[in-house]
Amino acid sequence: MQGQGHIETKLGRIAIDKDVIATYAGSVAVECFGIVGMAAVNMKDGLVKLLKRDYLSHGIDVRIDENNEISLDFHVIISYGVSIAAVADNLMETVKYKLEAFAGMNVKEILIHVEGIRVID
């Protein structure tokens, strides 16, 4: 079942696509304090681009292992002047809690890649 997670119920199996998980996780992430948005990194020239709200899932890599557990990599841009550690801890705890409630699957690992900072008015 490549690219999908699942929930077993008494009536059958519910398949959840990785893109659904990434989109939900991205929408939760941008609501967290200190997160400006998701980032896309151009590997060729190393430029970082702030993604629009419609493309939040592009800044997140989702992996689902053989135990149906989710691992996530977030590529984020954070606000200037905030504690990176505090923002990352809040992001990990919030996403883990909300994603497990949403998808009914365990979150095994969350990795945060800070790709840039922005001054917010």
Side-chain angles (χ1 to χ4, degrees), residues 43 47 62-63 84 94:
M43 293 302 182
L47 292 176
V62 176
R63 295 172 309 286
I84 293 174
T94 303

Side-chain angles (χ1 to χ4, degrees), residues 12-92:
R13 175 180 278 204
I14 301 169
I16 305 170
D17 193 271
K18 288 193 319 184
D19 286 341
V20 172
I21 292 169
T23 301
Y24 184 78
S27 66
V28 170
V30 296
E31 298 300 322
C32 290
F33 172 78
I35 300 294
V36 175
M38 305 310 297
V41 180
N42 184 329
M43 293 302 182
K44 187 174 98 176
D45 54 18
L47 292 176
V48 175
K49 177 180 156 189
L50 179 63
L51 294 168
K52 294 183 179 176
R53 220 172 208 330
D54 295 340
Y55 300 99
L56 295 176
S57 65
H58 294 193
I60 303 172
D61 298 318
V62 176
R63 295 172 309 286
I64 301 170
D65 67 15
E66 63 279 353
N67 297 320
N68 198 43
E69 293 183 316
I70 303 168
S71 294
L72 301 139
D73 282 278
F74 283 86
H75 299 270
V76 297
I77 296 174
I78 64 167
S79 300
Y80 176 80
V82 298
S83 164
I84 293 174
V87 170
D89 284 346
N90 180 50
L91 174 62
M92 288 187 274

Side-chain angles (χ1 to χ4, degrees), residues 79-121:
S79 300
Y80 176 80
V82 298
S83 164
I84 293 174
V87 170
D89 284 346
N90 180 50
L91 174 62
M92 288 187 274
E93 288 178 21
T94 303
V95 167
K96 181 178 179 0
Y97 175 77
K98 289 190 174 185
L99 188 55
E100 286 180 345
F102 171 75
M105 299 166 60
N106 289 331
V107 174
K108 178 180 177 182
E109 177 181 55
I110 298 175
L111 301 175
I112 310 293
H113 305 272
V114 179
E115 303 292 356
I117 59 172
R118 290 272 170 102
V119 176
I120 304 300
D121 297 333

